[in-house]
Tab-separated table of all heavy atoms in Angstrom:
chain	number	residue	atom	x	y	z
A	25	PRO	N	0.835	37.874	9.253
A	25	PRO	CA	1.749	37.072	10.147
A	25	PRO	C	1.543	35.591	10.041
A	25	PRO	O	2.448	34.771	9.943
A	25	PRO	CB	1.643	37.616	11.526
A	25	PRO	CG	1.059	39.016	11.366
A	25	PRO	CD	0.231	38.990	10.132
A	26	SER	N	0.295	35.139	10.099
A	26	SER	CA	0.016	33.668	10.054
A	26	SER	C	0.291	33.148	8.636
A	26	SER	O	0.776	32.008	8.538
A	26	SER	CB	-1.344	33.397	10.492
A	26	SER	OG	-2.337	33.715	9.602
A	27	ALA	N	-0.046	33.894	7.671
A	27	ALA	CA	0.293	33.431	6.277
A	27	ALA	C	1.855	33.391	6.059
A	27	ALA	O	2.296	32.425	5.449
A	27	ALA	CB	-0.333	34.436	5.279
A	28	MET	N	2.552	34.361	6.469
A	28	MET	CA	3.963	34.344	6.423
A	28	MET	C	4.580	33.195	7.316
A	28	MET	O	5.502	32.456	6.744
A	28	MET	CB	4.561	35.642	6.840
A	28	MET	CG	6.091	35.740	6.685
A	28	MET	SD	6.630	35.527	5.084
A	28	MET	CE	6.767	37.234	4.483
A	29	GLU	N	4.133	32.949	8.462
A	29	GLU	CA	4.665	31.938	9.263
A	29	GLU	C	4.503	30.526	8.510
A	29	GLU	O	5.317	29.709	8.445
A	29	GLU	CB	3.986	31.951	10.621
A	29	GLU	CG	4.466	30.798	11.504
A	29	GLU	CD	3.741	30.747	12.778
A	29	GLU	OE1	2.444	30.802	12.765
A	29	GLU	OE2	4.294	30.420	13.864
A	30	ALA	N	3.196	30.294	8.002
A	30	ALA	CA	2.899	29.103	7.277
A	30	ALA	C	3.764	28.877	6.142
A	30	ALA	O	4.293	27.871	5.708
A	30	ALA	CB	1.452	29.024	6.926
A	31	PHE	N	3.954	30.041	5.249
A	31	PHE	CA	4.736	30.121	4.031
A	31	PHE	C	6.214	29.658	4.431
A	31	PHE	O	6.815	28.847	3.716
A	31	PHE	CB	4.671	31.449	3.389
A	31	PHE	CG	5.454	31.567	2.196
A	31	PHE	CD1	5.094	30.998	1.031
A	31	PHE	CD2	6.637	32.325	2.288
A	31	PHE	CE1	5.830	31.253	-0.122
A	31	PHE	CE2	7.493	32.519	1.101
A	31	PHE	CZ	7.098	31.897	-0.013
A	32	LEU	N	6.733	30.291	5.380
A	32	LEU	CA	8.136	30.076	5.776
A	32	LEU	C	8.386	28.672	6.250
A	32	LEU	O	9.408	27.974	5.898
A	32	LEU	CB	8.664	31.049	6.731
A	32	LEU	CG	8.840	32.528	6.259
A	32	LEU	CD1	9.048	33.479	7.416
A	32	LEU	CD2	9.849	32.624	5.141
A	33	HIS	N	7.403	28.157	7.015
A	33	HIS	CA	7.523	26.680	7.435
A	33	HIS	C	7.513	25.762	6.246
A	33	HIS	O	8.121	24.777	6.102
A	33	HIS	CB	6.455	26.435	8.522
A	33	HIS	CG	6.912	26.698	9.883
A	33	HIS	ND1	7.718	26.107	10.676
A	33	HIS	CD2	6.494	27.926	10.555
A	33	HIS	CE1	7.854	26.595	11.812
A	33	HIS	NE2	7.188	27.703	11.798
A	34	LEU	N	6.587	26.056	5.322
A	34	LEU	CA	6.444	25.213	4.111
A	34	LEU	C	7.718	25.276	3.277
A	34	LEU	O	8.258	24.224	2.822
A	34	LEU	CB	5.261	25.711	3.241
A	34	LEU	CG	5.019	24.990	1.890
A	34	LEU	CD1	4.693	23.531	2.160
A	34	LEU	CD2	3.992	25.646	1.126
A	35	LEU	N	8.313	26.369	3.108
A	35	LEU	CA	9.591	26.543	2.415
A	35	LEU	C	10.711	25.907	3.124
A	35	LEU	O	11.489	25.110	2.493
A	35	LEU	CB	10.035	28.092	2.252
A	35	LEU	CG	9.386	28.858	1.068
A	35	LEU	CD1	9.876	30.239	1.135
A	35	LEU	CD2	9.760	28.162	-0.230
A	36	ARG	N	10.785	25.991	4.433
A	36	ARG	CA	11.850	25.424	5.175
A	36	ARG	C	11.742	23.901	5.110
A	36	ARG	O	12.712	23.170	4.912
A	36	ARG	CB	11.821	25.809	6.668
A	36	ARG	CG	12.730	25.201	7.694
A	36	ARG	CD	14.010	25.798	7.606
A	36	ARG	NE	14.884	24.927	6.801
A	36	ARG	CZ	15.954	25.416	6.174
A	36	ARG	NH1	16.247	26.687	6.102
A	36	ARG	NH2	16.793	24.629	5.446
A	37	THR	N	10.536	23.323	5.221
A	37	THR	CA	10.312	21.885	5.178
A	37	THR	C	10.674	21.389	3.792
A	37	THR	O	11.256	20.310	3.630
A	37	THR	CB	8.854	21.569	5.547
A	37	THR	OG1	8.616	21.921	6.881
A	37	THR	CG2	8.558	20.052	5.432
A	38	SER	N	10.189	22.082	2.740
A	38	SER	CA	10.526	21.672	1.399
A	38	SER	C	12.053	21.641	1.151
A	38	SER	O	12.578	20.782	0.502
A	38	SER	CB	9.829	22.575	0.305
A	38	SER	OG	8.531	22.529	0.437
A	39	THR	N	12.614	22.673	1.570
A	39	THR	CA	14.145	22.720	1.433
A	39	THR	C	14.859	21.566	2.132
A	39	THR	O	15.787	20.872	1.526
A	39	THR	CB	14.674	24.094	1.900
A	39	THR	OG1	14.052	25.138	1.078
A	39	THR	CG2	16.242	24.140	1.692
A	40	ASP	N	14.409	21.289	3.362
A	40	ASP	CA	15.026	20.284	4.220
A	40	ASP	C	14.814	18.869	3.472
A	40	ASP	O	15.658	18.089	3.503
A	40	ASP	CB	14.444	20.318	5.551
A	40	ASP	CG	14.990	21.498	6.449
A	40	ASP	OD1	15.907	22.107	6.033
A	40	ASP	OD2	14.322	21.622	7.517
A	41	LEU	N	13.565	18.700	2.997
A	41	LEU	CA	13.251	17.459	2.336
A	41	LEU	C	14.197	17.254	1.037
A	41	LEU	O	14.732	16.202	0.756
A	41	LEU	CB	11.806	17.346	2.022
A	41	LEU	CG	10.801	16.978	3.067
A	41	LEU	CD1	9.352	17.138	2.627
A	41	LEU	CD2	11.036	15.511	3.460
A	42	PHE	N	14.213	18.256	0.295
A	42	PHE	CA	15.090	18.264	-0.952
A	42	PHE	C	16.507	17.951	-0.575
A	42	PHE	O	17.040	17.023	-1.279
A	42	PHE	CB	14.902	19.576	-1.640
A	42	PHE	CG	15.637	19.561	-3.011
A	42	PHE	CD1	15.012	19.047	-4.180
A	42	PHE	CD2	16.861	20.038	-3.154
A	42	PHE	CE1	15.633	18.917	-5.336
A	42	PHE	CE2	17.642	19.999	-4.355
A	42	PHE	CZ	16.927	19.445	-5.479
A	43	GLU	N	17.049	18.582	0.417
A	43	GLU	CA	18.482	18.328	0.777
A	43	GLU	C	18.581	16.924	1.330
A	43	GLU	O	19.545	16.334	0.957
A	43	GLU	CB	18.851	19.336	1.888
A	43	GLU	CG	19.031	20.749	1.244
A	43	GLU	CD	19.415	21.785	2.311
A	43	GLU	OE1	19.419	21.430	3.624
A	43	GLU	OE2	19.571	22.974	1.918
A	44	ALA	N	17.666	16.439	2.107
A	44	ALA	CA	17.792	15.058	2.652
A	44	ALA	C	17.670	14.046	1.660
A	44	ALA	O	18.572	13.011	1.516
A	44	ALA	CB	16.652	14.879	3.720
A	45	PHE	N	16.883	14.170	0.635
A	45	PHE	CA	16.680	13.226	-0.432
A	45	PHE	C	17.831	13.331	-1.481
A	45	PHE	O	18.257	12.363	-2.088
A	45	PHE	CB	15.282	13.237	-1.070
A	45	PHE	CG	14.303	12.516	-0.310
A	45	PHE	CD1	13.641	13.170	0.865
A	45	PHE	CD2	14.098	11.193	-0.566
A	45	PHE	CE1	12.772	12.386	1.617
A	45	PHE	CE2	13.139	10.485	0.252
A	45	PHE	CZ	12.516	11.059	1.315
A	46	SER	N	18.299	14.614	-1.708
A	46	SER	CA	19.579	14.781	-2.545
A	46	SER	C	20.739	14.110	-1.947
A	46	SER	O	21.548	13.364	-2.637
A	46	SER	CB	19.819	16.231	-2.633
A	46	SER	OG	18.925	16.870	-3.432
A	47	GLU	N	20.932	14.137	-0.629
A	47	GLU	CA	22.001	13.401	0.015
A	47	GLU	C	21.916	11.903	-0.094
A	47	GLU	O	22.911	11.177	-0.333
A	47	GLU	CB	22.069	13.850	1.589
A	47	GLU	CG	22.491	15.236	1.763
A	47	GLU	CD	22.333	15.650	3.246
A	47	GLU	OE1	22.124	14.787	4.186
A	47	GLU	OE2	22.329	16.916	3.529
A	48	ALA	N	20.657	11.401	0.186
A	48	ALA	CA	20.439	10.037	-0.019
A	48	ALA	C	20.699	9.512	-1.435
A	48	ALA	O	21.319	8.439	-1.589
A	48	ALA	CB	18.995	9.669	0.331
A	49	LEU	N	20.293	10.244	-2.480
A	49	LEU	CA	20.577	9.850	-3.916
A	49	LEU	C	22.048	10.072	-4.111
A	49	LEU	O	22.562	9.178	-4.924
A	49	LEU	CB	19.669	10.765	-4.767
A	49	LEU	CG	18.220	10.429	-4.719
A	49	LEU	CD1	17.431	11.440	-5.576
A	49	LEU	CD2	17.900	8.976	-5.257
A	50	ALA	N	22.716	11.036	-3.593
A	50	ALA	CA	24.161	11.198	-3.797
A	50	ALA	C	24.919	10.045	-3.365
A	50	ALA	O	25.942	9.702	-3.863
A	50	ALA	CB	24.648	12.510	-3.041
Side-chain angles (χ1 to χ4, degrees):
S26 70
M28 181 60 92
E29 180 183 43
F31 176 78
L32 290 173
H33 277 281
L34 178 63
L35 278 178
R36 176 81 259 152
T37 301
S38 298
T39 300
D40 289 345
L41 280 170
F42 184 83
E43 288 175 357
F45 280 85
S46 290
E47 288 171 16
L49 290 172

